[in-house]
Amino acid sequence: MPESGAQVTMRVWRGDADGGTFEDYQIPAAEGMVVLDVIHRIQATQAPDLAVRWNCKAGRCGSCSAEVNGKPRLMCMTRMNHFAPGEPITVAPLRTFPPIKDLVTDLSYNYQKAKSVPAFKPGPKEADGTRRMYQEDVDRVQEFHKCIECFLCQTVCHVIRDHEENKPAFAGPRLFVRLAALEMHPLDTNDRLGLINQQSGLGYCNITKCCTDVCPESIKITDNAIIPLKERVVTEFHDPVVWAWRKLTGRKKVELPVTSG
Amino acid sequence: MTAVPQEIRAEPLPMAAESRRRDAWWAEPLAVVVVLTSFGLYALWAALQNGNYYAAPYLSPFYSPCISVNCVHVTLPLIGSWWTLSPALLILGIPLGFRVTCYYYRKAYYRAFFWSPPACAIPDARRGYSGETRFPFVLQNSHRYFFWLSLVVLAFLWWDALLAFRFPTGVGIGLGTVVLVVNATLLTLYSLSCHSCRYLCGGYLDSFKDAPIRYRLWRWTNRLNARHPHFAWISLFGVALADLYVRLVAMGVITDPRIVF
Amino acid sequence: MSVEDRFETHEYDVIVVGAGGAGLRAAIEASAQGAKTALVCKSLLGKAHTVMAEGGIAAALRNVWKEDGWDVHFRDTMRGGKLLNNWRMAQIHAQEAPDRVLELEEWGALFDRTKEGLILQRDFGGHRYARLAHVGDRTGLEMIRTLQQHAVHKGIDVYMECTIQRLLTDDGRVSGACGYWRESGKLILFKSRAVVLATGGIGKIYQITSNSWEYTGDGMAMGLDVGADLIDMEMVQFHPTGMVWPPSVRGILVTEGVRGDGGTLKNSEGRRFMFDYVPDFFRAETAETEEEADAWYADKTKRRTPDLLPRDEVARAINTEVKAGRGSPHGGVFLDIASRRDPEYIRRRLPSMYQQFRELADVDITKEAMEVGPTCHYQMGGLRVEADTAATTVPGLFAAGEVAAGLHGANRLGGNSLSDLVVFGRRAGLHAAEYALAQSVVPAVDDGQVKATTSAMLAPFETVGGQNPYTLHADLEACMQNLVGIIRTESELEQALDEIGQLRERLARVSVQGNRQYNPGWHLTLDLHCARIRPGESPVQPGLATHPRPALDADRRRGCHSLGDRAQGESRRAHPRRLPGPRSCLRPRERRDAPRRRRDARLPGAPA
């Protein structure tokens, strides 16, 4: 950790859609500082027009995503003592999305994809007019609801990070988490497996787990959302036994013993 | 940014040298390459030996179940004497297929061998990418069938482990007995912690309210699944060492110490 | 050329400013009523301060305690607010909150469950029974995500990162709003028949605050500009438990759920000091011994632990302990759950707290006590609204959420804000849509108003004065923190008014560097103007940073506003038994649209 009062060098990307460069700023370190504090110090003392998104500064809102020393992280949850003293710390905007200015990028890809998800549609209520769900059923989905939409998983996912052309056909880990939440919701009755398999491009994911690695909420995106979705897609579209069973029985869908709450 | 649809905008930033990761991200893929290549070479060599795979009462797991009548120690005489190649080749496809289509190994070798991506936030090696949407990678969806077949193989490995207690002098325990029991245990943990197993045990349900047994099975496989990567590596070493032990005993290089007579 | 040709212009029946819980709920309701609705917010959708709400949403669902009911919730709310609340709002709130919670569930929210499969409720400060529907310690996130997704599916137009700077009026009625895109700095004009303000509070005028940069009081300022009333502006709640160390995270909230789930406050001597600070008002229902307090968690017939007194009482107690030298090493007190609950329980009930302390302070809350101290959290005051319709005194202008005043009186109970958002958010949306659809003509946009706004917005680029907006903001925060904190004195309030006067002069000399494209320095300058330390304004003209003015009215010391020269309990009028009507402490205005006041109304269960 840099000593209190010692200078740290921050190498911050400055620019816009037309291009930009890294600029160095010297800032005195203080105890317990996070990267976002340092960016704010730069704003307040050296570069008042340095653009950065932030809101809660407590790892709750997921606004201050950036690439610190090449790794996608939340700036508000990245302590300065995480870094070796003396070396400059690089802060760059999310690479996967088009730059707007400095550390701010255009995240509309994510909001457009979110619109493609069919809404939650609960089944009928219980006879007594209540909705009953049990903790063991909601535990799994609550993990997905922890998502703060920082889009770090989206930016680290190589399917779109390194292959811009895949963007129209691929929804990204954030959307898979959302789709998994709806798909496994004990009350939901909408069927989204076709969408997951086709338009959302689940097959593009090669489960290399970078989304899980960067998730600040420690959601096991790959193991708990994507792979179970892949297994459900296998049953629905790739399982020869299920296919043969359907041909024999004339049933459209496998009759899984799914109970509604 | 409005929610009114916009075109996905220009290309992302070209990656500047400053924004690359500076940590030793290459260490993990390198280790995977070294371990998997070594194991692959050893397994191929051992399978082609067609000898030294049985040292009474121990059968090498690479050759179990031995289903050719030409076997030194026949488990099930399914294949006639026309098969003159190594009997290992008849069954090795099952564990190989199980591991190749395993959700964890996929991550490991897509990163280490295919470099898509080599590590998180490190660019893919190749320009084009279609993930697991096309042949041959779409075949990864057969994982659950390899899981069922692996369970069959696993049953034989436990049978071998049981036979390893039966010495000409009566019931006893040798070091080889321990080796085979440990090997079968590790492979069992690896198989039961598999993502497909977790799905088939109950992961396909949206509500566990009326399925208490499946819920408990699913919970239990969840706990195992969290350690699936560990089991994957330990069982890999385990099975190679078990073969090596039986091989060395069969070759007369070492003698099997008896622990209990 | 008219302004409409020069600027990007959109026409709607209703525009909702602010996309937190109240704004989203209002937009959903207005849209459901058939009004063409737009939602405009300063940040990206789903980032509003509602995500920070941790503990839960208060509603008498009666899933855990059958003894609970709307009347008990109403009583708790009124007592917590020291009876300064608008009783009708408190009644509507208590009665409608359960429906709004169930509605969230209908839209996909997943609250923690009871064994019977119903919504689980937890204990919180000032609530008689376990009443807060919750999801671990991230209830606000669940709520905003549910509402956000519901709004998106309803096809409501959302304008993200778009700051509304001024409301437009035509002959005293609202006719729209104008502002700018943060991304490009380009101006945008909305023509609309009705506007719902849901812009939140003012927390960013304090140094130690749990609030984000967005909390600059835009809605209160804009409402005031077009003639709406502000009330109770001196009532600022300091949440008793914010982080105190390390310095850079000072103020980040530590949920009251820690205490609801068994945590206790201790001083440096290890003493549970809250037993020493039980005011007479709450003595009858508060435990006197540690054994009694601990028994209460399982048995609600016992008296409740003083750790869960309303926030104003706890914040003052902590303040006193620290000043008496019994604080923790970094100037707070200890909040201990580690020695009282097992680690697995703590991690399951308080996952965000566990992570927050581990990441930011290197503290494992399952092993050690947390260091906590008061942090600015909530503004009870704001725009005066009609209880049933959420209408302000300006025709066509509605307000809901923290920007509106009345429900919480002198102190808000934890968990009542989330229910406030959905109860009054819905009402604001409903009545704004009704109002808008009943208007036969679209009100006209006054070119002069738009031009005045745009030239004021662009002025800082021309100013040569050398004042740095960030420094000015820091000075404002320091002034408010030091002089208008938890315990206030008349002399310090006078001094604060002086300093704010100086800040006003400096604000006129703030110059902005760079261009209009995503320029935080410029945005902050405009936000400071919103905080109403605007040059040339008379100090009597009240504003957000000038809430010292009403605070000087000695009659109003109660709840979250304590004058240090006299102890809280000594003020004769501190806890009146009669319900006071809401009153404008700011400037005399017509009261015709003000919520009606019922004399002599008794609170159920109030001490006789």
Side-chain angles (χ1 to χ4, degrees):
Chain A
M1 143 115 213
E3 290 285 307
S4 265
Q7 296 282 314
V8 286
T9 305
M10 300 299 290
R11 192 161 284 171
V12 184
W13 194 83
R14 301 296 310 268
D16 54 26
D18 300 326
T21 53
F22 283 91
E23 283 181 28
D24 283 4
Y25 299 92
Q26 301 282 328
I27 286 290
E31 195 171 17
M33 260 190 166
V34 293
V35 171
L36 186 60
D37 290 317
V38 180
I39 295 293
H40 282 159
R41 290 291 301 162
I42 295 173
Q43 266 188 340
T45 56
Q46 300 178 40
D49 60 340
L50 170 62
V52 58
R53 278 197 187 102
W54 70 284
N55 279 26
C56 74
K57 207 179 162 291
R60 298 300 179 81
C61 73
S63 301
C64 61
S65 306
E67 305 201 356
V68 184
N69 280 357
K71 274 192 185 170
R73 318 183 68 107
L74 289 182
M75 286 189 277
C76 69
M77 295 304 275
T78 307
R79 294 269 294 271
M80 291 295 284
N81 61 7
H82 182 87
F83 305 105
E87 273 190 49
I89 296 162
T90 311
V91 187
L94 301 181
R95 196 175 109 81
T96 307
F97 305 110
I100 291 175
K101 190 182 164 201
D102 304 337
L103 301 177
V104 175
T105 52
D106 179 358
L107 298 173
S108 41
Y109 164 83
N110 304 293
Y111 289 93
Q112 282 170 43
K113 292 289 177 188
K115 284 189 179 176
S116 69
V117 179
F120 172 72
K121 196 171 103 188
K125 287 187 178 173
E126 302 281 320
D128 63 356
T130 60
R131 293 272 183 205
R132 283 184 200 262
M133 290 180 272
Y134 296 85
Q135 194 59 45
E136 60 260 36
D137 294 334
V138 302
D139 270 341
R140 169 168 58 167
V141 184
Q142 282 182 335
E143 178 188 8
F144 306 142
H145 283 207
K146 278 174 15 187
C147 172
I148 57 173
E149 298 201 328
C150 61
F151 304 125
L152 288 179
C153 57
Q154 302 283 78
T155 198
V156 83
C157 180
H158 71 116
V159 178
I160 46 176
R161 184 181 176 89
D162 299 325
H163 309 280
E164 182 75 17
E165 71 280 3
N166 286 339
K167 276 187 179 171
F170 184 70
R174 160 62 191 133
L175 266 289
F176 294 140
V177 167
R178 171 131 159 71
L179 286 162
L182 287 163
E183 199 49 37
M184 297 174 197
H185 195 297
L187 297 184
D188 182 63
T189 57
N190 253 343
D191 179 13
R192 300 174 188 80
L193 284 176
L195 174 104
I196 292 168
N197 189 38
Q198 294 297 318
Q199 295 90 320
S200 301
L202 186 69
Y204 280 88
C205 168
N206 67 348
I207 52 174
T208 36
K209 278 200 175 173
C210 289
C211 50
T212 308
D213 286 355
V214 298
C215 181
E217 286 293 307
S218 308
I219 302 172
K220 300 268 179 293
I221 301 175
T222 320
D223 288 317
N224 292 351
I226 294 180
I227 293 175
L229 283 184
K230 281 200 175 226
E231 285 291 319
R232 287 181 182 215
V233 165
V234 171
T235 303
E236 191 66 25
F237 299 105
H238 301 295
D239 192 322
V241 176
V242 173
W243 178 82
W245 175 256
R246 283 182 196 174
K247 283 283 168 201
L248 279 173
T249 59
R251 283 185 190 151
K252 281 264 188 306
K253 236 182 117 121
V254 201
E255 296 289 326
L256 292 175
V258 176
T259 52
S260 67
Chain B
M1 206 185 324
T2 70
V4 183
Q6 293 176 342
E7 287 302 304
I8 289 166
R9 282 205 268 171
E11 288 280 309
L13 290 173
M15 189 180 258
E18 291 97 323
S19 57
R20 292 262 182 163
R21 278 175 67 172
R22 295 185 220 148
D23 53 343
W25 57 265
W26 42 265
E28 192 189 306
L30 183 67
V32 171
V33 167
V34 170
V35 172
L36 283 186
T37 308
S38 317
F39 175 84
L41 290 175
Y42 175 78
L44 186 67
W45 174 81
L48 290 176
Q49 285 304 296
N50 198 7
N52 291 326
Y53 55 81
Y54 185 70
Y58 312 134
L59 175 66
S60 156
F62 282 176
Y63 286 75
S64 174
C66 222
I67 55 171
S68 150
V69 295
N70 288 338
C71 254
V72 179
H73 172 85
V74 182
T75 318
L76 266 185
L78 294 178
I79 307 288
S81 57
W82 54 268
W83 180 268
T84 52
L85 296 174
S86 165
L89 301 179
L90 291 167
I91 49 101
L92 264 189
I94 294 173
L96 181 71
F98 187 47
R99 292 205 186 234
V100 164
T101 59
C102 160
Y103 286 101
Y104 171 70
Y105 279 110
R106 272 146 78 179
K107 172 211 165 186
Y109 66 73
Y110 282 137
R111 281 198 191 186
F113 288 91
F114 291 78
W115 292 5
S116 64
C120 299
I122 301 295
D124 276 15
R126 260 167 296 184
R127 259 197 88 65
Y129 175 85
S130 59
E132 298 181 338
T133 56
R134 295 191 203 147
F135 184 82
F137 295 109
V138 74
L139 294 180
Q140 305 278 30
N141 289 317
S142 58
H143 188 50
R144 63 176 61 167
Y145 288 97
F146 281 108
F147 165 71
W148 289 124
L149 289 171
S150 294
L151 288 189
V152 176
V153 172
L154 208 54
F156 283 104
L157 289 176
W158 276 109
W159 177 244
D160 292 340
L162 206 63
L163 291 183
F165 286 92
R166 201 182 57 177
F167 292 87
T169 50
V171 174
I173 296 174
L175 182 56
T177 317
V178 176
V179 167
L180 291 193
V181 168
V182 168
N183 176 53
T185 308
L186 291 175
L187 288 173
T188 305
L189 287 171
Y190 170 60
S191 303
L192 295 184
S193 64
C194 143
H195 293 83
S196 284
C197 172
R198 182 169 73 140
Y199 171 78
L200 296 164
C201 281
Y204 62 90
L205 291 170
D206 287 338
S207 168
F208 298 104
K209 191 179 72 175
D210 300 327
I213 296 167
R214 277 172 288 180
Y215 176 63
R216 280 167 65 179
L217 276 176
W218 178 74
R219 286 274 299 214
W220 188 69
T221 50
N222 267 344
R223 278 207 291 281
L224 284 179
N225 181 260
R227 309 194 54 191
H228 194 48
H230 300 109
F231 295 139
W233 289 118
I234 298 170
S235 66
L236 190 77
F237 283 109
V239 74
L241 290 174
D243 174 83
L244 183 67
Y245 183 80
V246 175
R247 190 164 297 282
L248 291 177
V249 173
M251 288 164 76
V253 178
I254 53 174
T255 44
D256 178 50
R258 298 287 288 277
I259 300 163
V260 178
F261 290 93
Chain C
M1 193 162 66
S2 86
V3 288
E4 288 169 40
D5 302 322
R6 281 171 54 206
F7 304 129
E8 178 185 345
T9 305
H10 302 272
E11 192 174 323
Y12 287 95
D13 294 324
V14 177
I15 68 163
V16 179
V17 186
L24 280 162
R25 188 64 190 83
I28 289 168
E29 193 63 27
S31 172
Q33 296 300 320
K36 192 182 174 212
T37 307
L39 186 59
V40 191
C41 51
K42 288 211 283 190
S43 286
L44 296 174
L45 189 60
K47 306 297 182 195
H49 210 65
T50 305
V51 298
M52 292 295 286
E54 291 165 348
I57 171 167
L61 292 162
R62 306 171 69 235
N63 290 348
V64 176
W65 294 95
K66 290 283 172 230
E67 296 85 340
D68 202 5
W70 78 262
D71 48 346
V72 189
H73 189 183
F74 170 76
R75 169 185 179 274
D76 291 344
T77 303
M78 293 297 294
R79 280 171 64 83
K82 299 287 166 4
L83 312 190
L84 196 67
N85 322 51
N86 176 324
W87 66 268
R88 175 66 183 150
M89 286 177 88
Q91 180 192 13
I92 291 172
H93 168 256
Q95 286 175 324
E96 291 187 357
D99 286 346
R100 298 285 80 76
V101 172
L102 294 173
E103 177 179 77
L104 288 173
E105 186 166 76
E106 204 68 10
W107 294 344
L110 281 174
F111 296 101
D112 288 351
R113 318 303 299 179
T114 63
K115 285 210 167 55
E116 295 75 39
L118 299 171
I119 295 172
L120 181 63
Q121 296 174 277
R122 74 153 46 120
D123 283 312
F124 235 57
H127 291 282
R128 178 88 180 81
Y129 297 104
R131 184 178 287 146
L132 270 69
H134 61 277
V135 192
D137 53 5
R138 49 164 197 84
T139 315
L141 174 67
E142 185 76 12
M143 185 166 129
I144 200 166
R145 209 58 89 222
T146 305
L147 291 170
Q148 169 190 350
Q149 284 157 1
H150 195 74
V152 166
H153 289 309
K154 294 289 165 206
I156 295 164
D157 290 343
V158 184
Y159 295 80
M160 293 189 224
E161 301 206 301
C162 180
T163 308
I164 294 297
Q165 202 64 22
R166 177 184 176 138
L167 299 174
L168 306 172
T169 49
D170 173 30
D171 193 22
R173 292 179 307 162
V174 161
S175 61
C178 64
Y180 61 96
W181 287 107
R182 300 175 73 78
E183 180 183 326
S184 62
K186 294 201 173 108
L187 302 166
I188 182 167
L189 179 62
F190 291 95
K191 296 169 71 177
S192 76
R193 296 160 202 240
V195 172
V196 178
L197 290 174
T199 52
I202 49 100
K204 220 39 203 168
I205 58 174
Y206 283 89
Q207 213 167 33
I208 300 174
T209 175
S210 66
N211 290 183
S212 81
W213 68 266
E214 291 193 284
Y215 268 49
T216 51
D218 306 14
M220 297 165 190
M222 289 190 289
L224 188 70
D225 275 351
V226 296
D229 283 356
L230 289 175
I231 58 169
D232 297 344
M233 288 303 284
E234 74 280 25
M235 297 301 177
V236 176
Q237 180 176 72
F238 290 82
H239 194 290
T241 57
M243 290 176 80
V244 295
W245 190 92
S248 63
V249 300
R250 193 162 183 147
I252 294 180
L253 198 63
V254 178
T255 177
E256 198 164 322
V258 176
R259 283 170 284 142
D261 288 341
T264 58
L265 292 163
K266 291 177 182 169
N267 62 18
S268 59
E269 296 160 2
R271 181 176 162 72
R272 285 169 65 173
F273 59 85
M274 278 312 297
F275 288 96
D276 308 335
Y277 294 90
V278 183
D280 291 340
F281 193 58
F282 293 103
R283 195 173 301 283
E285 57 193 54
T286 308
E288 278 167 36
T289 64
E290 297 190 6
E291 294 69 40
E292 191 183 2
D294 289 345
W296 168 83
Y297 286 100
D299 178 5
K300 290 293 181 287
T301 61
K302 296 277 193 301
R303 293 187 297 176
R304 48 190 303 120
T305 169
D307 285 303
L308 284 172
L309 280 170
R311 288 172 176 174
D312 53 337
E313 309 290 354
V314 183
R316 265 193 300 273
I318 294 176
N319 199 54
T320 313
E321 283 294 305
V322 174
K323 283 197 173 157
R326 293 189 293 271
S328 68
H330 300 101
V333 293
F334 295 105
L335 174 58
D336 171 33
I337 191 167
S339 71
R340 295 170 53 84
R341 296 287 185 267
D342 68 75
E344 176 51 34
Y345 177 87
I346 297 169
R347 274 193 293 267
R348 183 167 52 81
R349 299 284 293 177
L350 305 161
S352 310
M353 288 301 107
Y354 175 72
Q355 190 193 351
Q356 180 174 309
F357 274 89
R358 198 190 46 188
E359 301 277 327
L360 295 175
D362 294 326
V363 168
D364 181 347
I365 65 166
T366 65
K367 297 197 177 82
E368 309 163 60
M370 299 160 244
E371 278 188 66
V372 295
T375 176
C376 170
H377 187 54
Y378 192 87
Q379 162 73 292
M380 271 70 66
L383 293 165
R384 183 154 62 132
V385 291
E386 227 247 328
D388 292 79
T389 61
T392 66
T393 48
V394 178
L397 183 63
F398 298 78
E402 193 172 346
V403 70
L407 170 61
H408 306 296
N411 174 48
R412 174 173 72 77
L413 292 186
N416 270 359
S417 61
L418 288 187
S419 39
D420 174 13
L421 301 183
V422 276
V423 168
F424 291 101
R426 176 185 152 275
R427 281 184 169 262
L430 176 70
H431 292 284
E434 267 179 15
Y435 170 89
L437 297 175
Q439 302 296 306
S440 48
V441 284
V442 188
V445 166
D446 179 341
D447 283 13
Q449 290 177 0
V450 179
K451 280 178 187 153
T453 312
T454 56
S455 57
M457 275 165 55
L458 299 176
F461 285 107
E462 315 295 327
T463 311
V464 195
Q467 284 290 333
N468 178 337
Y470 296 94
T471 314
L472 193 67
H473 182 214
D475 292 347
L476 172 64
E477 287 178 332
C479 162
M480 294 301 289
Q481 189 71 40
N482 298 331
L483 303 174
V484 200
I486 299 176
I487 309 287
R488 301 160 184 179
T489 64
E490 292 194 24
S491 60
E492 285 181 346
L493 291 176
E494 294 287 358
Q495 192 189 338
L497 281 174
D498 278 353
E499 288 192 15
I500 288 164
Q502 291 160 22
L503 290 172
R504 271 202 193 96
E505 284 157 28
R506 283 169 59 195
L507 181 58
R509 286 181 277 122
V510 164
S511 38
V512 170
Q513 292 177 30
N515 58 27
R516 280 160 69 178
Q517 192 192 15
Y518 218 112
N519 186 339
W522 179 43
H523 300 164
L524 177 61
T525 309
L526 296 179
D527 288 341
L528 282 170
H529 278 277
C530 259
R532 276 306 167 276
I533 52 171
R534 178 184 289 170
E537 230 161 55
S538 133
V540 188
Q541 176 96 345
L544 308 172
T546 58
H547 73 238
R549 174 63 62 190
L552 280 168
D553 174 359
D555 265 1
R556 296 181 56 78
R557 66 186 73 177
R558 78 180 88 153
C560 282
H561 172 50
S562 0
L563 282 175
D565 352 36
R566 244 195 298 173
Q568 197 75 357
E570 290 170 23
S571 167
R572 251 184 338 108
R573 298 195 43 180
H575 306 299
R577 247 177 255 133
R578 291 270 170 84
L579 291 177
R583 42 190 203 157
S584 165
C585 55
L586 297 172
R587 55 178 156 168
R589 285 195 59 82
E590 275 184 278
R591 300 288 171 92
R592 62 187 154 83
D593 292 323
R596 263 167 228 95
R597 148 186 187 181
R598 193 201 287 175
R599 298 180 189 278
D600 296 334
R602 279 274 161 122
L603 291 177

